[in-house]
Amino acid sequence: MMKYLQKIGRSLMLPVACLPAAGILYGIGYWIDPIGWGSNSLAAAFCIKAASAIIDQIPLLFALGVSIGMASDRDGTPALAGLVSYLMITTLLSSNAVAMYMGVEVSKVPAAFGRIQNAFIGILAGLIGASCYNRFKNTKLPDWLAFFSGRRCVAIVTALVSALTSIVLFYVWPAVYNALVQFGISIVGLGPIGAGLYAMLNRALIPLGLHHALNAVFWFNTAGINDLGNFWAGTGTLGVTGMYMTGFFPVMMFGLVAGAYAMYRQAKPERKKMAASLLLAGAFASFFTGITEPIEFSFMFLAPGLYLIHAILTGISAIICAYLPVRCGFNFSAGLVDWILSFKAPMAVNPLLIIPIGIVFALIYYFIFTWAIKLFDLKTPGREDDDEFEAEKLIILANDNFTALARVVLDSLGGAANMKNYDYCATRIRAEVNDYTQVDEKKMKSAGIPGIIRPSKNNVQVVIGPKVQFVFDEMKKLIDSTK
């Protein structure tokens, strides 16, 4: 089950990768016309409308992205199946359709059906599309139906399954929707404390890859909160909207950067160069783009207590930003790019306060990380025991030697013959191996890998960072060359 949920999280990275384009367009549009939001400028209106074309279709993007990500191969058919499923479910369960089924006026239809076009349904449609593709892509039909054999039957089966699912959802969705709404209301009702609780849980769930499910409740329109969409569209409440995003900026732009510097300072003298290359690349990614996994996975499992401190500090940051108030938003993550683009967004409030707050959190992170590493002798990067790490064998990621790094990763996973399934997400190579005893984590660490995760016996996740695609491509070439 955990493996399946993690795979869903990986699949969500594909549609999420579309959001920065919307953020850039929104940011440009609001910078051009910060008062009229497009009413005073044709160029601003064009940018804002172009961005809304992406943001307004997040559920559909999820349906397509999840169906592709969960499929057994990268054929285009799963995307079509996911689209069919999404259109089928949202049409059959639209308010007008439900009113007809129930024989009542549209105004008397449960509110849940008015929110049927949401991220949750998009993900569900993607799962249906991918499952039908994986199960029926090789189906052979009698000669008189041969035209619909194989991949051509996938969309037909998907439509039937989606229709049956819609029947189930007709009875179940109102209860599910109400439960999500109540969960959201319970957090929203806590005000800034709720924002802090959410931010802390967001970081705590990252090792399991389940933070995406939590994000769907608060950032998108699954339960009516839609913090991300409302922030950029200007449809929220000024001073409230954005509170589930703002608290991440001081941490990602300042706190983790300072934490990385603290870990570098505490590295052994002979390993400072190695630690610097690893931590500098991670710190830059966190500050500039908001991608935090390279840093977080560098100490998440080496020093879990330190990671717990990080999660708590993230929650505190969210509470402080919510109380002041400060409101910033992002379409990708809480890095410098999104912070600047959100300055003129309709719901932005005191975005410049992120700087002094961030400086304070940088100091807190630096001193707490330094104190904890020294007191508990934590094995953060560059502090590994001599028998665990051979510095002279390091292959530095910063050198962009993707072929050499891919070879080390592949050899550490037992070679091409040991690879059962393999893929990649935003920052990790995910592999399923035939024989788990052939996985050599010590050898993998010699390549300067930020983190290695073993969610189950035969599954390994290798944290590479934002350049994971290039390492994966080289690894795939090595595997293909052995066939």
Side-chain angles (χ1 to χ4, degrees), residues 374-429:
K374 286 182 176 180
L375 181 64
F376 300 106
D377 190 24
L378 301 177
K379 305 302 180 184
T380 48
R383 291 177 58 86
E384 300 85 353
D385 294 331
D386 292 336
D387 60 348
E388 293 180 353
F389 213 90
E390 299 179 48
E392 64 275 11
K393 293 183 180 179
L394 291 175
I395 301 172
I396 304 302
L397 269 171
N399 291 339
D400 289 349
N401 194 345
F402 302 125
T403 302
L405 180 59
R407 186 173 289 109
V408 172
V409 172
L410 182 58
D411 290 344
S412 301
L413 292 171
N418 197 39
M419 302 290 284
K420 185 176 181 181
N421 291 303
Y422 51 94
D423 207 339
Y424 71 96
C425 61
T427 57
R428 315 177 201 176
I429 290 176

Coordinates of all heavy atoms in Angstrom, one line a residue, residues 374-429:
K374 N 26.7 19.0 17.4 CA 27.8 18.9 18.4 C 27.4 18.0 19.6 O 28.1 17.1 20.0 CB 28.3 20.2 18.8 CG 29.1 21.0 17.8 CD 29.5 22.4 18.5 CE 30.4 23.2 17.5 NZ 30.8 24.4 18.1
L375 N 26.2 18.3 20.1 CA 25.8 17.7 21.3 C 25.6 16.2 21.1 O 25.9 15.3 22.0 CB 24.5 18.3 21.8 CG 23.9 17.7 23.1 CD1 24.9 18.0 24.3 CD2 22.6 18.4 23.5
F376 N 24.9 15.8 20.0 CA 24.6 14.4 19.8 C 25.5 13.7 18.8 O 25.3 12.6 18.4 CB 23.1 14.3 19.3 CG 22.1 14.9 20.3 CD1 21.5 16.1 20.0 CD2 21.8 14.2 21.5 CE1 20.6 16.6 20.9 CE2 20.9 14.7 22.4 CZ 20.3 15.9 22.1
D377 N 26.5 14.4 18.4 CA 27.5 13.8 17.4 C 26.8 13.3 16.2 O 27.0 12.1 15.8 CB 28.4 12.8 18.1 CG 29.5 12.3 17.2 OD1 29.9 13.1 16.3 OD2 30.0 11.2 17.4
L378 N 25.9 14.1 15.6 CA 25.1 13.6 14.5 C 26.0 13.4 13.2 O 26.9 14.2 12.9 CB 24.0 14.6 14.2 CG 23.0 14.8 15.4 CD1 22.0 15.9 15.0 CD2 22.3 13.6 15.8
K379 N 25.7 12.3 12.5 CA 26.5 12.0 11.3 C 25.9 12.7 10.1 O 25.5 12.1 9.1 CB 26.5 10.5 11.1 CG 27.0 9.7 12.3 CD 28.4 10.2 12.7 CE 28.9 9.4 13.9 NZ 30.2 9.9 14.4
T380 N 26.0 14.0 10.1 CA 25.5 14.8 9.0 C 26.6 14.7 7.9 O 27.7 14.2 8.1 CB 25.3 16.2 9.4 OG1 26.4 16.7 10.2 CG2 24.0 16.3 10.2
P381 N 26.3 15.2 6.6 CA 27.3 15.1 5.6 C 28.7 15.6 6.0 O 28.8 16.7 6.5 CB 26.7 15.9 4.4 CG 25.2 15.8 4.7 CD 25.1 15.8 6.1
G382 N 29.7 14.7 5.7 CA 31.1 15.1 6.1 C 31.5 14.7 7.5 O 32.6 14.9 7.9
R383 N 30.5 14.1 8.2 CA 30.9 13.6 9.6 C 30.7 12.1 9.7 O 30.7 11.6 10.8 CB 29.9 14.3 10.6 CG 30.2 15.8 10.8 CD 29.2 16.4 11.7 NE 29.2 15.8 13.0 CZ 30.1 16.1 14.0 NH1 31.0 17.1 13.8 NH2 30.0 15.5 15.2
E384 N 30.6 11.4 8.6 CA 30.5 9.9 8.7 C 31.7 9.3 9.2 O 32.8 9.9 9.2 CB 30.2 9.4 7.2 CG 29.0 9.9 6.6 CD 29.2 11.2 5.9 OE1 30.3 11.8 6.0 OE2 28.3 11.7 5.2
D385 N 31.6 8.1 9.8 CA 32.7 7.4 10.4 C 33.6 7.0 9.2 O 33.2 6.8 8.1 CB 32.2 6.2 11.1 CG 31.5 6.5 12.4 OD1 31.7 7.6 12.9 OD2 30.6 5.8 12.8
D386 N 34.9 6.8 9.5 CA 35.9 6.5 8.5 C 35.6 5.2 7.7 O 35.9 5.1 6.6 CB 37.3 6.4 9.1 CG 37.8 7.8 9.6 OD1 37.3 8.8 9.1 OD2 38.6 7.8 10.5
D387 N 35.0 4.3 8.4 CA 34.8 3.0 7.8 C 33.4 3.0 7.0 O 33.1 2.0 6.4 CB 34.7 1.8 8.8 CG 33.6 2.0 9.8 OD1 33.1 3.2 9.9 OD2 33.3 1.1 10.6
E388 N 32.8 4.1 7.0 CA 31.5 4.2 6.3 C 31.6 5.1 5.0 O 30.8 5.1 4.2 CB 30.4 4.9 7.2 CG 30.0 4.1 8.4 CD 28.9 4.8 9.2 OE1 28.6 6.0 8.8 OE2 28.4 4.2 10.1
F389 N 32.8 5.8 4.9 CA 32.9 6.7 3.8 C 34.3 6.8 3.3 O 35.2 7.0 4.2 CB 32.4 8.1 4.3 CG 31.7 8.9 3.2 CD1 30.3 8.7 3.0 CD2 32.4 9.7 2.4 CE1 29.7 9.5 2.0 CE2 31.8 10.4 1.4 CZ 30.4 10.3 1.2
E390 N 34.6 6.7 2.1 CA 35.9 6.8 1.5 C 35.9 8.1 0.7 O 35.5 8.1 -0.5 CB 36.3 5.6 0.7 CG 36.3 4.3 1.5 CD 36.6 3.1 0.6 OE1 37.6 3.2 -0.1 OE2 35.9 2.1 0.7
A391 N 36.4 9.1 1.2 CA 36.4 10.4 0.6 C 37.1 10.5 -0.8 O 36.7 11.2 -1.7 CB 37.0 11.5 1.5
E392 N 38.2 9.7 -0.9 CA 38.9 9.7 -2.2 C 38.1 9.1 -3.3 O 38.5 9.3 -4.5 CB 40.2 9.0 -2.0 CG 40.1 7.5 -1.8 CD 39.9 7.2 -0.3 OE1 39.7 8.1 0.5 OE2 40.0 6.0 0.1
K393 N 37.0 8.4 -3.1 CA 36.2 7.8 -4.1 C 35.0 8.7 -4.6 O 34.2 8.3 -5.4 CB 35.7 6.4 -3.7 CG 36.8 5.4 -3.5 CD 36.2 4.1 -3.2 CE 37.3 3.0 -3.0 NZ 36.8 1.7 -2.6
L394 N 35.0 9.9 -4.0 CA 33.8 10.7 -4.2 C 33.6 11.1 -5.7 O 34.6 11.4 -6.4 CB 33.8 12.0 -3.4 CG 33.7 11.8 -1.9 CD1 33.9 13.1 -1.2 CD2 32.3 11.2 -1.6
I395 N 32.4 11.0 -6.2 CA 32.1 11.6 -7.5 C 31.2 12.8 -7.2 O 30.0 12.6 -6.8 CB 31.4 10.6 -8.4 CG1 32.3 9.4 -8.6 CG2 31.0 11.2 -9.7 CD1 31.6 8.2 -9.3
I396 N 31.6 14.0 -7.4 CA 30.9 15.1 -7.0 C 29.8 15.5 -8.0 O 30.0 15.6 -9.2 CB 31.8 16.4 -6.8 CG1 33.0 16.0 -5.9 CG2 31.0 17.6 -6.3 CD1 32.5 15.6 -4.5
L397 N 28.5 15.5 -7.5 CA 27.4 15.9 -8.3 C 27.6 17.2 -9.0 O 27.1 17.4 -10.1 CB 26.1 15.9 -7.4 CG 25.3 14.6 -7.3 CD1 24.3 14.8 -6.2 CD2 24.7 14.2 -8.6
A398 N 28.2 18.2 -8.3 CA 28.3 19.5 -8.8 C 29.1 19.5 -10.2 O 29.0 20.5 -10.9 CB 29.0 20.4 -7.8
N399 N 29.9 18.5 -10.4 CA 30.7 18.4 -11.7 C 29.8 18.0 -12.9 O 30.3 18.0 -14.0 CB 31.9 17.4 -11.5 CG 32.9 18.0 -10.5 OD1 32.9 19.1 -10.3 ND2 33.7 17.1 -10.0
D400 N 28.6 17.6 -12.6 CA 27.7 17.2 -13.7 C 28.2 16.0 -14.5 O 28.0 15.9 -15.7 CB 27.4 18.4 -14.7 CG 26.6 19.5 -14.1 OD1 26.0 19.2 -13.0 OD2 26.4 20.5 -14.7
N401 N 29.0 15.1 -13.8 CA 29.5 13.9 -14.4 C 28.4 12.9 -14.3 O 28.4 11.9 -13.6 CB 30.7 13.4 -13.7 CG 31.5 12.4 -14.5 OD1 30.9 11.8 -15.5 ND2 32.7 12.1 -14.2
F402 N 27.3 13.1 -15.1 CA 26.1 12.2 -15.0 C 26.4 10.8 -15.4 O 25.8 9.9 -14.7 CB 25.0 12.8 -15.9 CG 24.6 14.2 -15.6 CD1 24.7 15.2 -16.5 CD2 24.3 14.6 -14.3 CE1 24.3 16.5 -16.2 CE2 24.0 15.9 -14.0 CZ 24.0 16.9 -14.9
T403 N 27.2 10.5 -16.4 CA 27.5 9.2 -16.8 C 28.2 8.4 -15.7 O 27.8 7.3 -15.3 CB 28.4 9.2 -18.0 OG1 27.7 9.9 -19.1 CG2 28.6 7.7 -18.5
A404 N 29.2 9.0 -15.0 CA 29.9 8.4 -14.0 C 29.0 8.1 -12.8 O 29.0 7.1 -12.1 CB 31.1 9.2 -13.6
L405 N 28.2 9.1 -12.5 CA 27.3 9.0 -11.3 C 26.3 7.9 -11.6 O 25.9 7.1 -10.7 CB 26.6 10.3 -11.1 CG 25.6 10.3 -9.9 CD1 26.3 9.9 -8.6 CD2 24.9 11.7 -9.8
A406 N 25.7 7.9 -12.8 CA 24.7 6.8 -13.2 C 25.3 5.4 -13.1 O 24.7 4.5 -12.7 CB 24.2 7.1 -14.6
R407 N 26.6 5.3 -13.5 CA 27.3 4.0 -13.4 C 27.4 3.5 -12.0 O 27.2 2.4 -11.6 CB 28.6 4.1 -14.1 CG 29.3 2.7 -14.2 CD 30.6 2.8 -15.0 NE 30.3 3.0 -16.4 CZ 30.5 4.1 -17.1 NH1 31.0 5.2 -16.4 NH2 30.3 4.2 -18.4
V408 N 27.7 4.5 -11.1 CA 27.9 4.1 -9.6 C 26.5 3.7 -9.1 O 26.4 2.7 -8.4 CB 28.5 5.3 -8.8 CG1 28.4 5.0 -7.3 CG2 29.9 5.5 -9.3
V409 N 25.5 4.5 -9.4 CA 24.1 4.2 -8.9 C 23.7 2.8 -9.4 O 23.2 2.0 -8.6 CB 23.1 5.3 -9.4 CG1 21.7 4.8 -9.0 CG2 23.4 6.6 -8.7
L410 N 23.9 2.6 -10.7 CA 23.4 1.3 -11.3 C 24.2 0.1 -10.6 O 23.6 -0.9 -10.3 CB 23.6 1.3 -12.8 CG 23.2 0.0 -13.5 CD1 21.7 -0.2 -13.3 CD2 23.5 0.2 -15.0
D411 N 25.5 0.2 -10.5 CA 26.3 -0.8 -9.9 C 25.9 -1.0 -8.4 O 25.8 -2.2 -8.0 CB 27.8 -0.5 -9.9 CG 28.4 -0.5 -11.4 OD1 27.7 -1.1 -12.2 OD2 29.4 0.1 -11.6
S412 N 25.6 0.1 -7.8 CA 25.1 0.0 -6.4 C 23.8 -0.7 -6.2 O 23.5 -1.3 -5.1 CB 25.1 1.3 -5.7 OG 26.3 2.0 -5.8
L413 N 23.0 -0.7 -7.3 CA 21.7 -1.3 -7.3 C 21.7 -2.8 -7.7 O 20.7 -3.5 -7.9 CB 20.7 -0.6 -8.1 CG 20.3 0.8 -7.6 CD1 19.5 1.6 -8.7 CD2 19.5 0.7 -6.3
G414 N 23.0 -3.3 -8.0 CA 23.1 -4.7 -8.4 C 23.3 -4.9 -9.8 O 23.3 -6.0 -10.3
G415 N 23.4 -3.8 -10.6 CA 23.6 -3.9 -12.0 C 22.3 -4.0 -12.8 O 21.2 -4.2 -12.2
A416 N 22.4 -4.0 -14.1 CA 21.2 -4.0 -15.0 C 20.4 -5.3 -14.8 O 19.1 -5.2 -14.8 CB 21.6 -3.9 -16.5
A417 N 21.0 -6.4 -14.5 CA 20.3 -7.7 -14.4 C 19.4 -7.7 -13.1 O 18.4 -8.5 -13.0 CB 21.2 -8.8 -14.3
N418 N 19.7 -6.8 -12.2 CA 19.0 -6.8 -10.9 C 17.8 -5.8 -10.9 O 17.1 -5.7 -10.0 CB 19.9 -6.4 -9.8 CG 19.3 -6.8 -8.4 OD1 18.7 -7.8 -8.3 ND2 19.5 -6.0 -7.4
M419 N 17.7 -5.0 -12.0 CA 16.7 -4.0 -12.1 C 15.4 -4.6 -12.7 O 15.3 -5.0 -13.8 CB 17.1 -2.9 -13.0 CG 18.4 -2.2 -12.6 SD 18.2 -1.2 -11.1 CE 17.4 0.2 -11.7
K420 N 14.3 -4.5 -11.8 CA 13.0 -5.0 -12.3 C 12.2 -3.9 -12.9 O 11.6 -4.0 -14.0 CB 12.3 -5.6 -11.1 CG 10.9 -6.3 -11.4 CD 10.3 -6.9 -10.2 CE 9.0 -7.6 -10.5 NZ 8.4 -8.2 -9.3
N421 N 12.1 -2.8 -12.1 CA 11.4 -1.6 -12.6 C 12.2 -0.4 -12.2 O 12.8 -0.4 -11.1 CB 10.0 -1.5 -12.1 CG 9.0 -2.5 -12.7 OD1 8.9 -2.6 -13.9 ND2 8.4 -3.3 -11.9
Y422 N 12.2 0.7 -13.0 CA 12.9 1.9 -12.6 C 12.3 3.1 -13.3 O 11.8 3.0 -14.4 CB 14.4 1.8 -12.9 CG 14.7 1.4 -14.4 CD1 14.9 2.3 -15.4 CD2 14.7 0.0 -14.7 CE1 15.2 2.0 -16.7 CE2 15.0 -0.4 -16.0 CZ 15.2 0.6 -17.0 OH 15.5 0.2 -18.3
D423 N 12.3 4.2 -12.6 CA 11.7 5.4 -13.0 C 12.3 6.6 -12.2 O 13.1 6.4 -11.3 CB 10.2 5.4 -12.9 CG 9.5 6.3 -13.9 OD1 10.1 7.2 -14.5 OD2 8.3 6.0 -14.2
Y424 N 11.8 7.8 -12.5 CA 12.3 8.9 -11.7 C 11.2 9.9 -11.5 O 10.2 9.9 -12.2 CB 13.5 9.6 -12.4 CG 13.1 10.4 -13.6 CD1 12.9 11.8 -13.5 CD2 13.0 9.8 -14.9 CE1 12.5 12.5 -14.7 CE2 12.6 10.5 -16.0 CZ 12.4 11.8 -15.9 OH 12.1 12.6 -17.0
C425 N 11.3 10.7 -10.4 CA 10.3 11.8 -10.2 C 11.1 13.1 -10.1 O 12.1 13.3 -10.8 CB 9.5 11.5 -8.9 SG 10.5 11.4 -7.4
A426 N 10.6 14.0 -9.3 CA 11.2 15.4 -9.3 C 12.7 15.4 -8.9 O 13.5 16.1 -9.5 CB 10.4 16.3 -8.4
T427 N 13.0 14.5 -7.9 CA 14.4 14.6 -7.4 C 15.0 13.2 -7.2 O 16.1 13.0 -6.7 CB 14.4 15.3 -6.1 OG1 13.5 14.7 -5.1 CG2 14.1 16.8 -6.2
R428 N 14.2 12.1 -7.4 CA 14.7 10.8 -7.0 C 14.6 9.8 -8.2 O 13.7 9.8 -9.0 CB 13.8 10.2 -5.9 CG 13.6 11.1 -4.8 CD 12.7 10.5 -3.7 NE 12.0 11.5 -2.9 CZ 11.1 11.2 -2.0 NH1 10.8 9.9 -1.7 NH2 10.5 12.1 -1.3
I429 N 15.5 8.9 -8.2 CA 15.4 7.7 -9.0 C 14.8 6.6 -8.2 O 15.2 6.3 -7.0 CB 16.8 7.2 -9.5 CG1 17.4 8.1 -10.5 CG2 16.7 5.8 -10.1 CD1 18.8 7.8 -11.0

